[in-house]
Amino acid sequence: MTVTSTAVRPPTVVRVRRAVADARALTWRNLLTYVRLPQLVVFSTIQPIMFVLIFRYVFGGAIQPPPGQSYVNFLMPGIFVQSVAFGAVGTGIGLAEDMGKGLIERFRSLPMAQSSVLAGRTTADLARNVFVVFLMAVVGFLVGFRAGTGPLPFLAGVALLLLFGYALSWVFVLVGLGAANAETAQAVAFPTLFPLVFASSAFVPVESMPGWLQAFAANQPVSVTVDAVRALMLGGPTISPVLQSSAWTLGILAVFVPLAARRYRRAI
Amino acid sequence: MVLATHDPVTVPPTPYAAGMNEGAIVLQGVTKRFGDVRALDGLDLSVPPGTVYGLLGPNGAGKTTAVRVLTTLIRPDQGHARVLGLDVMERPEEVRSVIGLAGQYAAVDENLTGRENLRLIGILTHLPRPAVNPRAAELLERFELTEAADRPVRTYSGGMRRRLDLAAALVHRPPVLFLDEPTTGLDPHSRRELWRVIEELVGSGTTLLLTTQYLEEADRLADRIAVVDGGRVIAEGTAAELKARMASTTLELSFHDARTAADASELLRPLAGSPPLVEGTRVELSVDDGQRALIDALRDLDRAGLVLASVALREPSLDDVFLALTGRRTSGGGGDDPDGDRAQADRGRVPVGRKIG
Ligand SMILES: Nc1ncnc2c1ncn2[C@@H]1O[C@H](COP(=O)(O)OP(=O)(O)O)[C@@H](O)[C@H]1O
Ligand SMILES: [Mg+2]
């Protein structure tokens, strides 16, 4: 016997509205976790604060900033990008933990918009990054960082690096869904992020590196984003680095959002 | 709380109508492999609407895999699975709107309070906003979590987590409910408490599929039982039917010495359906009519001058059913020593003659 369907799928408008509501609910839930377990946020701020202090006061004296720039001004855009790059690992860890606790399985058995699990996770981590970058800006100000270009370019720089961090979060969605547990997610993260963050223009001028490394260091996504943020906050030509950074951000999203979504559908 | 009242916003009309011949939950020839392991090996199942159905089987039998197929979490390799007539592979979204799942491990957010957990599920299942808080409060009350409602779940006991998990599965009033080993790992007190809660749930139109390793649990909660082993159903029926079909009554005799026991087993062999089981000074006979066999045995023993130490009639338990079906004891037979030594010890005594299939 064939059962003929009389079931109705809700109209598209309702589905979209529900997807947004579901993503908001899960964003709220994820942010609440950060409030309940502040150590998660403290951990992702202590490390960059340590870096500010170490580079500003220990290594900074030995690093030659480009002519006409103070090292602390050179450093802070690098610190901002570093914070969101390492922050992306938290996205993977959070998802791996939810999987381990069976929460993802519960969500997948509910009549909710399945897209909201990943959307809610990455949006919450974007909101966390807003807080972290704000905090780092305050720390930077205290150690002498002064952006010379005015509030609008400064905010444009913040927006650019937040988008970059958002794109990186999707890379770690994929890592988190594939990892057996939070430790694995973390273990995968650092060997991939360390070369990107340290072989970059974040802490030292690329020109000071050996030639073979410069080709990589000058063009990889962390460097071009740091360069763009620097140009926006400190002055200098902005168009080329901003375009390059945006291209990386969009490229990463275009590749990793579909991969992550596919991995989620097959997860568990 | 009336479980059968479906929220018109969240539950779409389904092609399923009561009175159709199809069960509310149906598996037909479902197979699922994980590498070399055949988790499901042609599983067939049909659960009449409004009933409690027990999937009974030892660890690794395929119970969780069956539940995960039915709750759209994994796709079967072969076969069909339908819930209220909805094919789980073709219409997973609609299936999700009619089911509730409490998995084998409580899936609740440790960092939220009990109330926040239920509110989150209420929002995610699209209850009308004004209904979310009252629904959470109602379920907390019902599961006796009101006092702990505003504490983080991290501070809950195992039994409280299970109750919250069950409450979370009920938020959107699903007409079909899946509970995967709801009491495994709970202490006897929490287990009885959860049984009471589950018994209260049923009887208002909800169809419940429950998996368990505990025979006592299936016997107590389920209207019908399927015994699962190796990914397929090896017996199906009501608890009474299973007992009647499979196992006979056991006549247990013990003597003062092993010599007498051996003689008695020779003597009484014609009374039993299968060779008597002798263990030291004890003899067990499987008999169809316990009363009759008892009288015959006492008469024969008296005539032969064999002196009894004690005698008892044991009605078949579901554990005996499992033994008869598989030649093995279930791991959770007594309820308190899953995978325990007792099961190991018992395995050694299984007489070959009693093994079926
Ligand atoms: N995701 C999986 N990967 C590999 N093997 C699995 C997986 N899930 C279940 N199995 C195997 O399938 C069999 C049935 O498992 P399961 O359905 O969990 O049994 P039960 O719930 O009855 O204990 C077991 O042998 C188990 O090891
Ligand atoms: Mg199981």
Side-chain angles (χ1 to χ4, degrees):
Chain A
M1 178 187 64
T2 328
V3 179
T4 48
S5 164
T6 58
V8 281
R9 277 158 70 97
T12 308
V13 191
V14 174
R15 293 167 65 84
V16 170
R17 213 174 53 215
R18 284 184 176 177
V20 172
D22 292 353
R24 253 181 43 195
L26 284 177
T27 303
W28 167 82
R29 173 253 165 182
N30 293 329
L31 288 176
L32 207 53
T33 307
Y34 286 131
V35 175
R36 297 278 156 81
L37 296 178
Q39 61 266 37
L40 292 177
V41 178
V42 169
F43 183 76
S44 58
T45 53
I46 285 212
Q47 194 198 32
I49 290 174
M50 295 297 288
F51 269 75
V52 172
L53 299 178
I54 291 170
F55 277 89
R56 170 77 176 84
Y57 296 112
V58 181
F59 299 147
I63 298 170
Q64 185 66 55
Q69 261 177 28
S70 69
Y71 183 67
V72 66
N73 279 351
F74 177 84
L75 172 68
M76 285 314 296
I79 293 285
F80 293 148
V81 176
Q82 178 222 12
S83 315
V84 300
F86 284 138
V89 182
T91 305
I93 293 173
L95 270 177
E97 270 174 357
D98 285 353
M99 296 245 297
K101 289 183 192 149
L103 283 168
I104 302 281
E105 190 149 316
R106 156 142 281 149
F107 294 146
R108 289 195 7 153
S109 75
L110 290 180
M112 56 185 267
Q114 292 302 311
S115 60
S116 64
V117 174
L118 304 186
R121 167 57 60 189
T122 50
T123 308
D125 289 334
L126 176 63
R128 185 209 54 199
N129 277 346
V130 170
F131 171 76
V132 170
V133 170
F134 172 77
L135 198 72
M136 296 318 298
V138 171
V139 172
F141 185 82
L142 292 178
V143 299
F145 171 61
R146 298 292 179 269
T149 51
L152 274 185
F154 183 87
L155 289 179
V158 169
L160 192 80
L161 72 94
L162 288 174
L163 280 177
F164 178 64
Y166 181 76
L168 285 185
S169 270
W170 281 94
V171 177
F172 285 95
V173 166
L174 199 60
V175 173
L177 290 176
N181 52 43
E183 288 71 33
T184 316
Q186 194 145 19
V188 172
F190 285 99
T192 50
L193 277 181
F194 259 71
L196 282 174
V197 169
F198 289 100
S200 81
S201 61
F203 304 106
V204 298
V206 168
E207 295 74 42
S208 68
M209 298 176 192
W212 58 267
L213 190 54
Q214 283 190 26
F216 168 76
N219 298 300
Q220 54 109 327
V222 170
S223 287
V224 298
T225 304
V226 171
D227 294 346
V229 173
R230 233 173 234 146
L232 285 164
M233 293 183 176
L234 307 174
T238 52
I239 293 180
S240 165
V242 167
L243 284 180
Q244 283 183 64
S245 169
S246 308
W248 272 111
T249 295
L250 292 177
I252 292 169
L253 287 172
V255 172
F256 283 92
V257 173
L259 283 181
R262 209 183 65 173
R263 188 75 186 76
Y264 176 80
R265 281 196 298 275
R266 293 190 298 120
I268 300 164
Chain B
M1 183 186 67
V2 183
L3 273 167
T5 312
H6 305 154
D7 180 345
V9 176
T10 58
V11 179
T14 70
Y16 185 83
M20 273 172 49
N21 286 330
E22 170 150 322
I25 300 169
V26 175
L27 288 176
Q28 288 172 337
V30 172
T31 63
K32 179 72 188 179
R33 299 175 72 120
F34 295 106
D36 290 339
V37 180
R38 283 177 179 275
L40 298 179
D41 192 14
L43 191 64
D44 294 306
L45 209 65
S46 178
V47 180
T51 64
V52 181
Y53 199 91
L55 268 193
L56 171 67
N59 230 330
K63 304 181 297 295
T64 298
T65 306
V67 168
R68 290 173 72 206
V69 165
L70 284 163
T71 53
T72 77
L73 296 175
I74 52 172
R75 297 172 68 85
D77 298 333
Q78 280 165 12
H80 294 283
R82 285 187 299 276
V83 179
L84 298 187
L86 298 162
D87 189 292
V88 297
M89 287 205 275
E90 285 163 20
R91 313 168 67 154
E93 284 183 53
E94 288 149 81
V95 169
R96 288 182 200 126
S97 70
V98 296
I99 62 168
L101 165 66
Q104 191 166 347
Y105 306 96
V108 284
D109 191 332
E110 304 250 292
N111 302 311
L112 303 188
T113 66
R115 191 187 307 280
E116 286 165 345
N117 266 285
L118 296 184
R119 287 187 47 212
L120 178 65
I121 304 289
I123 294 168
L124 291 174
T125 54
H126 313 119
L127 292 189
R129 279 307 161 104
V132 170
N133 285 338
R135 181 69 176 150
E138 175 192 346
L139 286 166
L140 288 164
E141 177 77 40
R142 178 180 186 80
F143 289 89
E144 288 170 15
L145 290 167
T146 303
E147 237 167 81
D150 298 307
R151 283 197 343 236
V153 172
R154 208 172 328 121
T155 65
Y156 285 21
S157 70
M160 290 163 78
R161 278 169 205 235
R162 281 301 177 98
R163 296 208 301 275
L164 182 64
D165 194 52
L166 188 49
L170 296 175
V171 170
H172 60 300
R173 297 186 166 88
V176 179
L177 197 56
F178 296 90
L179 305 183
D180 194 6
E181 301 201 18
T183 65
T184 299
L186 293 186
D187 60 78
H189 172 73
S190 308
R191 177 176 306 156
R192 270 190 299 278
E193 209 170 57
L194 209 67
W195 282 350
R196 185 184 53 72
V197 167
I198 293 169
E199 277 169 339
E200 278 175 28
L201 282 179
V202 299
S204 47
T206 304
T207 307
L208 169 59
L209 181 80
L210 154 101
T211 80
T212 182
Q213 297 190 40
Y214 300 109
L215 307 154
E216 193 190 353
E217 186 163 285
D219 202 359
R220 169 152 175 186
L221 296 174
D223 299 315
R224 295 182 74 81
I225 296 168
V227 184
V228 187
D229 192 41
R232 53 199 314 161
V233 175
I234 55 172
E236 206 268 350
T238 63
E241 279 170 5
L242 286 178
K243 289 176 185 176
R245 173 146 40 111
M246 290 302 153
S248 35
T249 306
T250 305
L251 179 60
E252 295 180 338
L253 306 152
S254 68
F255 300 88
H256 294 292
D257 55 82
R259 175 85 227 137
T260 318
D263 291 347
S265 94
E266 278 299 306
L267 178 73
L268 301 178
R269 191 181 173 126
L271 298 181
S274 56
L277 178 62
V278 188
E279 197 182 60
T281 59
R282 279 162 36 89
V283 176
E284 282 187 18
L285 296 165
S286 276
V287 296
D288 290 330
D289 181 346
Q291 313 284 337
R292 186 71 249 158
L294 179 60
I295 293 166
D296 290 349
L298 291 177
R299 190 197 55 224
D300 292 355
L301 289 169
D302 189 40
R303 279 194 193 143
L306 298 173
V307 180
L308 261 174
S310 71
V311 63
L313 271 181
R314 184 158 53 84
E315 288 304 312
S317 70
L318 282 172
D319 202 10
D320 295 317
V321 171
F322 198 85
L323 180 64
L325 289 168
T326 65
R328 289 184 285 118
R329 295 269 172 183
T330 65
S331 53
D336 289 322
D337 72 330
D339 305 317
D341 300 325
R342 209 182 54 90
Q344 285 294 344
D346 283 349
R347 212 159 287 167
R349 330 183 333 208
V350 177
V352 180
R354 272 179 84 179
K355 185 167 176 173
I356 295 176

